[in-house]
Amino acid sequence: VIDGVSEVPPSHQAPILDPKAQPHCTCSTASRVSLHNTVYSACQNADAVVILTDWEEFRTLDWASIQSSLSLPGYVFDGRGVINQKTREMLTEKNVTVYVVGNGVEWERDLVKDSVQESVQVA
């Protein structure tokens, strides 16, 4: 992922947290990358959060704290399904769009679709 940062425009930075890879990281695009020791510092003023691992520490984050530090509207791309439904609802209510990558559609649309299906089945 860090090597893919070369696609980031020179005027932007990609804050990155990877506790297992960072000690071994040699990055040729250092001016476009800021390495962080905590999720919370990496998310400060970020436009989006991308989750690429399902490590336990990412399942127990304080999403209210992260949401309050994001630039809004914010975006979360959950590539490992670590954000539970209650947290997705809270983030959506706070102007943060959550995409559960691999589902093919935005989570909020899934919720609406499920509600419509339930009302049709009841009728």
Side-chain angles (χ1 to χ4, degrees):
V1 170
I2 292 175
D3 290 333
V5 172
S6 61
E7 301 299 319
V8 174
S11 61
H12 293 77
Q13 270 209 332
I16 295 175
L17 170 75
D18 187 338
K20 298 191 188 213
Q22 278 176 219
H24 311 288
C25 177
T26 57
C27 188
S28 61
T29 56
S31 65
R32 297 184 198 160
V33 172
S34 58
L35 299 175
H36 292 264
N37 293 323
T38 70
V39 170
Y40 305 101
S41 68
C43 293
Q44 189 70 40
N45 297 315
D47 296 311
V49 175
V50 180
I51 301 170
L52 299 173
T53 181
D54 59 355
W55 295 335
E56 187 60 34
E57 64 194 275
F58 294 108
R59 293 183 178 278
T60 58
L61 295 172
D62 177 358
W63 281 101
S65 176
I66 292 171
Q67 177 277 324
S68 68
S69 72
L70 290 175
S71 294
L72 297 177
Y75 300 89
V76 174
F77 299 89
D78 181 359
R80 305 302 285 183
V82 299
I83 303 175
N84 65 44
Q85 182 173 343
K86 181 178 177 183
T87 301
R88 291 191 305 255
E89 290 171 357
M90 180 275 297
L91 290 168
T92 300
E93 290 172 5
K94 303 279 187 177
N95 204 20
V96 176
T97 302
V98 178
Y99 293 91
V100 180
V101 179
N103 283 356
V105 293
E106 179 183 340
W107 170 79
E108 188 175 14
R109 282 189 232 139
D110 282 346
L111 183 65
V112 171
K113 184 178 89 178
D114 291 345
S115 297
V116 170
Q117 286 176 347
E118 287 174 10
S119 65
V120 170
Q121 290 172 356
V122 172

